[in-house]
């Protein structure tokens, strides 16, 4: 569904708005820009995607677009680091001007769940994020720039983010004692992207069984340099 016009001289689409609905993980992935389609395949993304876009989109290179967009993913699944994340509903607002992207108001509604082999869920919660990021979608771990803040509320964390093996073992030991209790864990991260790593100025995660506070660097090759 589209409302707009195309300039045949410059091959630029003016969308006001353009709405697209598709199923990720199917042949419809080819409707996405090549870089986004490759990213979706790399993370084995599936689900019902709906996106509404306003602005100008060059036909030759979507990265030169100046636009605002809202994307909604329902009943989604994303793979990362050998783990599969189930997302009931994700809503994200995206702005892009002069090849600088800004992610505003990312929200995972109802649940964010990491499925275990036993069929249960390692964690869930409501996620809010404000992130300004610039970099290549084909190689986001090199030359990235930007800042961000992420907060997780009304959550159940059975693993502390960035906590390492010690906290993982402690979480496993405390898991049975947490069954049936309210989900009121929380976490806050303030950070900036710095080429090949993310520099955290605030790491603050609090659960009913442990807390983690500190700052430091997390490299995209999984190396950690944290002070907690």
């Amino acid at each position: 569904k589209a409302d707009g016009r195309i300039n045949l001289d410059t091959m630029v689409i003016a969308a006001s708005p353009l709405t697209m609905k598709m199923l990720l993980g199917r042949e419809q992935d080819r409707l996405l820009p090549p870089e986004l389609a490759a990213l979706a395949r790399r993370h084995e993304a599936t689900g019902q995607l709906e996106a509404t876009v306003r602005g100008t989109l060059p036909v030759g290179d979507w990265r030169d677009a100046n636009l605002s967009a809202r994307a909604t993913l329902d009943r989604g699944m994303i793979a990362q680091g050998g783990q599969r994340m189930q997302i009931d509903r994700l809503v994200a607002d995206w702005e892009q001007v002069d090849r600088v992207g800004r992610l505003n108001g990312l929200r995972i509604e109802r649940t964010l769940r990491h499925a275990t082999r036993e069929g249960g869920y390692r964690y869930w919660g409501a996620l809010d994020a404000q992130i300004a990021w610039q970099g290549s979608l084909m190689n986001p771990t090199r030359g990235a720039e930007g800042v961000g803040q992420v907060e997780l509320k009304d959550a159940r964390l059975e693993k502390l983010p960035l906590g390492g093996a010690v906290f993982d073992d402690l979480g496993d030991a405390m898991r049975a004692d947490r069954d049936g209790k309210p989900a009121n864990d929380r976490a806050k991260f303030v950070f900036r992207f710095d080429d090949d790593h993310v520099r955290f100025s605030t790491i603050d995660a609090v659960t009913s069984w442990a807390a983690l506070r500190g700052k430091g660097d997390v490299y995209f090759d999984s190396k950690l340099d944290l002070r907690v």
Side-chain angles (χ1 to χ4, degrees):
K1 178 182 178 181
D3 182 9
R5 61 187 185 278
I6 182 170
N7 185 318
L8 295 178
D9 294 325
T10 62
M11 296 304 291
V12 172
I13 299 172
S16 56
L18 182 151
T19 299
M20 176 179 67
K21 295 182 180 181
M22 61 177 293
L23 288 173
L24 288 178
R26 304 287 182 86
E27 291 184 358
Q28 291 179 349
D29 286 2
R30 61 183 173 78
L31 299 176
L32 295 171
E35 295 87 351
L36 291 182
L39 188 67
R41 288 193 297 270
R42 185 158 59 245
H43 293 281
E44 302 175 21
T46 62
Q48 176 71 52
L49 176 67
E50 179 174 343
T52 300
V53 179
R54 291 177 172 83
T56 57
L57 297 86
V59 174
D61 192 343
W62 69 273
R63 292 169 296 184
D64 286 325
N66 293 317
L67 56 83
S68 62
R70 166 162 287 193
T72 302
L73 179 66
D74 285 304
R75 299 180 299 280
M77 188 77 74
I78 299 174
Q80 175 64 37
Q83 301 176 349
R84 293 188 62 79
M85 305 294 302
Q86 181 174 336
I87 301 171
D88 287 342
R89 184 176 176 85
L90 180 149
V91 181
D93 292 312
W94 174 263
E95 295 178 0
Q96 181 172 314
V97 179
D98 296 332
R99 291 203 172 200
V100 176
R102 180 177 294 273
L103 183 64
N104 297 311
L106 171 71
R107 183 166 183 83
I108 294 176
E109 299 179 351
R110 293 175 56 197
T111 55
L112 164 67
R113 302 182 297 210
H114 166 207
T116 66
R117 292 180 180 178
E118 295 78 17
Y121 298 103
R122 296 285 292 180
Y123 49 80
W124 62 86
L127 181 73
D128 288 293
Q130 295 291 323
I131 299 173
W133 174 89
Q134 180 180 3
S136 169
L137 286 176
M138 293 303 294
N139 189 8
T141 61
R142 286 292 178 184
E145 299 177 356
V147 297
Q149 176 173 306
V150 174
E151 290 190 69
L152 186 65
K153 300 177 181 178
D154 301 324
R156 174 68 60 85
L157 297 173
E158 294 183 5
K159 294 177 64 178
L160 278 177
L162 312 179
V166 173
F167 284 102
D168 289 352
D169 293 341
L170 181 58
D172 290 338
M174 297 293 293
R175 184 176 182 184
D177 187 53
R178 289 162 55 82
D179 290 344
K181 293 184 177 180
N184 54 13
D185 299 342
R186 58 181 172 82
K188 180 178 180 179
F189 305 96
V190 181
F191 55 90
R192 65 181 175 89
F193 298 97
D194 191 357
D195 190 22
D196 62 347
H197 66 282
V198 180
R199 175 155 293 178
F200 288 85
S201 58
T202 298
I203 299 172
D204 187 0
V206 179
T207 78
S208 62
W209 56 276
L212 177 67
R213 294 186 175 93
K215 59 184 178 180
D217 299 334
V218 177
Y219 289 79
F220 294 125
D221 63 3
S222 300
K223 184 177 70 175
L224 302 179
D225 183 11
L226 301 175
R227 285 139 333 257
V228 297

